[in-house]
Amino acid sequence: MADRIVVTALGILSALGQGLPDHAQALQNNIHGLDHPQFLKTIHAPEFIMGEVKKSNDELATALHLPVGDNGYTRTTLLALTAMQQLLDQIETSLLQKETFAFINANTVGGMCSVEDMYFDFISEKKEGYFVKYIDTLDCAESTENVVRYFGLKPHVATISTACSSSANALILGARMIKHGLVERAICGGCDAMSRFTVNGFLSLKNVDKFPCKPFDQNRNGLNLGEGAGYLLLEKESDAKARGATILAYFSGYANSNDAYHPTAPSPDGEGAFRTMKQALDAAHLQANEISYINAHGTATANNDAAEGKAIQRLFGNTVPFSSTKPFTGHTLAAAGSIEAVFSILAMQQQIIFPNLNFETQMEELEISPVTCLQTNIPIHHVISNSFGFGGNNVSLIFSKG
Amino acid sequence: MMNPVFILSACAISPQLSFDVDKFLNPIITTDDGKLFAAEPDYRQFINPVAIRRMSRQLKMGIACGMRALQLADVSMPDSIITGTGLGSMTDMEHFLKDMITLEEEALNPTFFIQSTYNSVNGWLALQTKSTGYNQTYVHRGFSIELSLLDAQMFLNETPTSKIALVGSFDELTNDYFVVKSKCDYWKESVPNSLKLLSYNHTDGTIAGEGAAFFALTNKPKPLSCALLGLKLLNLPSSYDFTQEIQEFLSQHGVDLKDIDVAILGKNGDASFEYLYDPVVAAFDVETNVLAFKHLTGEYPTASGFALWIAVQLRHWNQIPEPLILKSGTRPKRNILVINHYILHTASLMLLHQQ
């Protein structure tokens, strides 16, 4: 049997807090992280709730021993650094010095959170000032490069941007690079800070809920945006065992498939979601009924939940419990895939299924409904986690206990 | 090591006449203002005219270039679509951002937001070709097209059956972007005519450009197809021994610097990067053909896509256009090495073999 890919370290940061214990605590006690944003300076702040990380840029910078103020680090990068620091604290630093490894990051708008406040300075020909040190943050690779520089790493780098499935794709790439022998290990995940650009983008699409989002509910009214970062260390099972590492989970299957239906909307019958989940099951050599829990994409937009719900019903019937954790964190976009990968692992570790908060009314077009209360002492062997993005970019990941 | 992959077709939209032309880079388009904008084709043969009206330049360039690369390879539906872009759609991003600031976050048009998403070209190509296969977008500065090619090589090595990967890159120059990057000293202060860029290498900075390049790749060799043997991505600290890295890369593929028949260099006229290329050029055989191209395209994160397009064209035309030649040689045109350095301290190597 081919060497399996395992997860041996992780870092996570979201509106729920920092690190695995914070997240376990919140998820087990129905404590969501949504509120009116304190740090994002948008006119929509009093009206909309969002999943903002509860730390200012200066607080994040101080914890990272960086100067406060206009230090050239965007919030996107600060979130990435904070989550990466947790991951690196779990491994011997020498591990990343000796062997080839990859750092595969994912991101949707780079340092837009900083750029948007300075853009007219950027483009005014004569203007100079502190903003110049933020100019290279305009692109998506800025957080990747800054993480590498801050920690003094020399990895193979890559940055992926496929909207809401970005970091799920980063995990797939890492596993594939290891399987091809291009690297020994890969740190994979994503980061996104909320920006006015993104908030207004989703608002212009009219799919944002002012109130706590209600995934898979008949009266769902759109998503809540969020921010955060999540990273997972992947390596071969044999390498992990050889160094005595604790195996947190097996990364047993994955699939990336495109809807080829519409630039932003999923195929209404859920064909794309169905195909992606089915391909991931096939890749993991699992039957649908062997999955213990589905961590749904579940954005609470009308389109996504109808398509994903139909696909789940068609593939799994009503036998496999499912929920969306987006009402806890908000939709963290490029970070969502890796954050929810961490939640999938947490579900296995703690033998729990997270509730789909705010669910009240059964969807008319579905016969299935999500888990609404925390379920404990549930043996969980395999979890499938979905991330579906604009451009029809669908990804399903499967994590297994052993 | 992974098996080589084979390039079935190549298509480029660039500042030059590179799209569906009956001559190889002839005549040459030049500029005196330090900005080389792409010569855009008639998009209507490739994109629904109703959709065209709302699309930004980059979206149109990417889709048309990708569709044409598939046509040239006689492929209607690729098994995967993998792209790279350093910048994404600058026009859409700028439009939405400026509107957001000036309209104070009210009454914004979602089209620009949607199209500013980095994988929008990928989504459209999947939609137009009905390709439900693997679909990926890389956004890592000077590594974006290289990561796409690496991914495609992995994808094509993951199956014994015959598969097609559509791989491409696109980057767009805007006047705003030009101003922004001028604050980081990207561009030459005293601008030569673009054709003279490479001899104007005593001053810092380069000229700006843009373009799209797409390739249909397969895992099964076809007669006369150009093989991509391998590629390497290098992060460059200042005192790096670049030539040694290149030699190590080549030796992994059983090739020596002396075996290179054609070298295509990403020289961009910037005095501060000349040191990288000089020792490499000196190490080639005296009869190696040494070419450069950024005086024809300007600098942009995925410029090496154009270099790869040139590599594929060499066989098709069986000649090397004079303006590309830094040093002419007598060697055949079989082993081709692309060496590209991008401003933000990355370099890439691509080794090709013409059968």
Side-chain angles (χ1 to χ4, degrees):
Chain A
M1 191 175 175
D3 219 346
R4 294 190 290 175
I5 302 294
V6 297
V7 180
T8 50
L10 47 83
I12 180 169
L13 174 67
S14 80
L16 298 181
Q18 189 173 330
L20 212 47
D22 276 7
H23 286 84
Q25 164 77 10
L27 289 163
Q28 285 172 0
N29 293 288
N30 289 359
I31 302 169
H32 69 77
L34 306 178
D35 203 346
H36 297 280
Q38 302 294 303
F39 308 115
L40 182 71
K41 300 296 173 216
T42 167
I43 65 158
H44 304 296
E47 209 177 347
F48 288 85
I49 60 165
M50 303 177 197
E52 192 174 55
V53 169
K54 309 280 182 290
K55 285 207 163 81
S56 69
N57 288 2
D58 283 352
E59 287 173 298
L60 291 165
T62 302
L64 292 160
H65 311 291
L66 290 168
V68 297
D70 292 315
N71 53 16
Y73 287 86
T74 65
R75 186 169 178 85
T76 313
T77 294
L78 294 170
L79 299 179
L81 289 171
T82 305
M84 269 296 274
Q85 182 71 64
Q86 289 168 34
L87 184 152
L88 295 174
D89 285 347
Q90 293 159 36
I91 57 174
E92 289 175 42
T93 48
S94 61
L95 192 64
L96 302 179
Q97 311 294 338
K98 284 186 295 206
E99 286 155 352
T100 57
F101 78 104
F103 175 45
I104 302 162
N105 195 22
N107 189 247
T108 62
V109 287
M112 182 57 81
C113 50
S114 296
V115 169
E116 64 191 6
D117 295 331
M118 311 172 189
Y119 195 69
F120 281 102
D121 288 339
F122 274 23
I123 58 171
S124 112
E125 290 203 24
K126 298 291 170 222
K127 201 140 185 177
E128 296 291 334
Y130 75 93
F131 68 85
V132 171
K133 61 184 165 191
Y134 286 92
I135 278 184
D136 281 332
T137 70
L138 198 61
D139 67 57
C140 283
E142 68 101 12
S143 51
T144 316
E145 291 289 335
N146 270 321
V147 165
V148 166
R149 202 173 303 124
Y150 176 88
F151 292 108
L153 304 171
K154 287 185 176 156
H156 292 266
V157 287
T159 311
I160 287 174
S161 195
T162 57
C164 308
S165 55
S166 300
S167 58
N169 275 317
L171 282 153
I172 293 181
L173 179 68
R176 290 169 65 227
M177 286 181 79
I178 293 168
K179 286 179 181 175
H180 280 283
L182 297 175
V183 293
E184 302 287 321
R185 295 182 175 79
I187 297 172
C188 309
C191 57
D192 252 332
M194 283 197 299
S195 64
R196 291 190 293 139
F197 184 93
T198 304
V199 166
N200 284 285
F202 279 91
L203 280 171
S204 73
L205 286 163
K206 304 203 189 313
N207 60 7
V208 186
D209 198 337
K210 292 176 185 176
F211 304 105
C213 67
K214 301 155 79 85
F216 300 106
D217 188 289
Q218 175 66 22
N219 303 315
R220 65 194 179 282
N221 199 24
L223 51 78
N224 306 130
L225 282 167
E227 63 180 3
Y231 295 102
L232 295 89
L233 175 64
L234 305 182
E235 59 192 306
K236 283 181 185 160
E237 181 180 20
S238 59
D239 287 338
K241 286 185 169 162
R243 70 181 181 91
T246 303
I247 292 172
L248 303 176
Y250 288 81
F251 185 17
S252 48
Y254 46 78
N256 161 309
S257 149
N258 198 278
D259 250 10
Y261 176 76
H262 184 274
T264 56
S267 43
D269 55 2
E271 183 62 34
F274 176 86
R275 181 176 48 246
T276 311
M277 289 190 286
K278 180 73 174 71
Q279 286 178 0
L281 286 174
D282 292 347
H285 305 292
L286 291 171
Q287 301 297 316
N289 62 12
E290 292 178 87
I291 295 292
S292 322
Y293 166 53
I294 303 160
N295 183 274
H297 185 53
T299 55
T301 59
N303 286 335
N304 177 80
D305 292 9
E308 188 179 15
K310 283 178 200 166
I312 289 172
Q313 182 170 294
R314 183 173 155 204
L315 187 55
F316 297 97
N318 61 0
T319 57
V320 181
F322 71 98
S323 67
S324 164
T325 47
K326 299 249 178 0
F328 282 98
T329 57
H331 189 352
T332 58
L333 306 178
S338 54
I339 284 177
E340 288 165 28
V342 172
F343 291 175
S344 301
I345 293 168
L346 190 65
M348 285 190 289
Q349 282 184 345
Q350 313 249 338
Q351 304 209 335
I352 54 175
I353 292 175
F354 312 116
N356 187 108
L357 300 180
N358 314 323
F359 176 85
E360 289 169 347
T361 312
Q362 176 68 33
M363 278 170 65
E364 278 168 11
E365 59 264 63
L366 294 183
E367 284 158 24
I368 56 170
S369 59
V371 171
T372 53
C373 298
L374 179 76
Q375 302 201 357
T376 56
N377 297 316
I378 309 280
I380 298 181
H381 302 290
H382 306 283
V383 179
I384 188 164
S385 181
N386 291 335
S387 295
F388 304 143
F390 278 3
N393 199 292
N394 297 331
V395 178
S396 295
L397 309 175
I398 298 178
F399 296 93
S400 302
K401 201 163 184 180
Chain B
M1 201 186 317
M2 286 192 287
N3 292 320
V5 293
F6 303 90
I7 302 173
L8 296 175
S9 68
C11 178
I13 295 174
S14 74
Q16 299 303 323
L17 305 176
S18 55
F19 190 88
D20 275 357
V21 287
D22 52 12
K23 292 196 181 105
F24 187 12
L25 296 176
N26 182 21
I28 294 291
I29 309 297
T30 67
T31 181
D32 289 313
D33 70 358
K35 295 175 206 167
L36 280 163
F37 289 99
E40 294 180 76
D42 181 355
Y43 294 117
R44 287 171 300 182
Q45 333 164 39
F46 306 102
I47 309 170
N48 179 332
V50 180
I52 286 180
R53 278 186 282 134
R54 301 176 74 179
M55 286 182 176
S56 64
R57 228 158 52 87
Q58 167 166 289
L59 195 50
K60 289 184 284 193
M61 277 199 273
I63 297 169
C65 197
M67 294 306 289
R68 185 66 185 138
L70 288 174
Q71 282 179 359
L72 292 171
D74 203 17
V75 171
S76 57
M77 191 178 81
D79 299 294
S80 73
I81 301 172
I82 309 170
T83 67
T85 176
L87 306 171
S89 177
M90 294 302 293
T91 303
D92 289 306
M93 185 278 287
E94 289 165 5
H95 203 131
F96 191 79
L97 180 54
K98 287 175 173 174
D99 281 357
M100 183 192 84
I101 298 169
T102 52
L103 300 172
E104 296 178 336
E105 304 189 43
E106 301 281 6
L108 296 165
N109 182 340
T111 301
F112 304 112
F113 176 68
I114 295 165
Q115 292 183 174
S116 77
T117 312
Y118 289 80
N119 66 326
S120 58
V121 171
N122 272 57
W124 274 99
L125 284 169
L127 195 58
Q128 291 207 175
T129 60
K130 301 285 166 220
S131 170
T132 58
Y134 180 73
N135 193 298
Q136 199 66 276
T137 304
Y138 293 95
V139 288
H140 202 103
R141 299 181 174 172
F143 283 159
S144 303
I145 173 80
E146 290 79 358
L147 286 164
S148 310
L149 289 163
L150 183 68
D151 190 346
Q153 192 179 11
M154 284 195 279
F155 175 82
L156 295 171
N157 268 266
E158 282 162 6
T159 166
T161 57
S162 176
K163 296 268 185 191
I164 304 283
L166 177 66
V167 179
S169 62
F170 37 87
D171 272 310
E172 178 191 15
L173 172 61
T174 65
N175 288 314
D176 276 6
Y177 178 77
F178 188 87
V179 173
V180 170
K181 292 297 181 181
S182 67
K183 292 175 199 270
C184 309
D185 304 320
Y186 272 32
W187 321 124
K188 284 193 185 296
E189 276 187 31
S190 164
V191 186
N193 177 276
S194 55
L195 201 54
K196 302 210 169 64
L197 176 70
L198 301 181
S199 54
Y200 210 78
N201 58 358
H202 55 285
T203 60
D204 287 347
T206 181
I207 61 172
E210 63 174 13
F214 272 80
F215 309 89
L217 269 58
T218 182
N219 43 3
K220 303 290 175 200
K222 298 266 164 67
L224 305 183
S225 62
C226 177
L228 175 65
L229 302 181
L231 42 94
K232 187 160 180 82
L233 285 61
L234 296 164
N235 273 298
L236 285 175
S238 51
S239 62
Y240 209 76
D241 191 343
F242 194 43
T243 309
Q244 194 182 327
E245 279 285 347
I246 295 172
Q247 264 161 343
E248 277 172 26
F249 165 69
L250 293 179
S251 69
Q252 285 164 6
H253 294 279
V255 178
D256 187 77
L257 269 171
K258 299 274 184 220
D259 300 326
I260 298 301
D261 301 317
V262 181
I264 306 176
L265 308 182
K267 276 177 171 255
N268 69 0
D270 189 323
S272 51
F273 303 131
E274 289 290 291
Y275 77 99
L276 278 171
Y277 294 102
D278 292 342
V280 188
V281 173
F284 289 131
D285 184 90
V286 287
E287 292 300 336
T288 299
N289 298 280
V290 181
L291 317 183
F293 63 96
K294 284 184 183 165
H295 52 311
L296 306 186
T297 63
E299 180 68 290
Y300 56 99
T302 54
S304 46
F306 190 78
L308 189 56
W309 175 83
I310 292 173
V312 178
Q313 300 305 307
L314 289 176
R315 163 175 295 270
H316 181 72
W317 301 97
N318 199 28
Q319 52 145 320
I320 303 178
E322 191 63 32
L324 291 175
I325 299 172
L326 287 183
K327 186 171 79 65
S328 181
T330 56
R331 298 181 65 111
K333 301 169 194 71
R334 296 173 72 85
N335 292 320
I336 303 175
L337 178 64
V338 176
I339 305 173
N340 185 51
H341 173 265
Y342 182 65
I343 300 170
L344 290 161
H345 310 294
T346 58
S348 64
L349 311 172
M350 300 183 210
L351 182 62
L352 300 129
H353 184 76
Q354 297 275 18
Q355 297 177 69

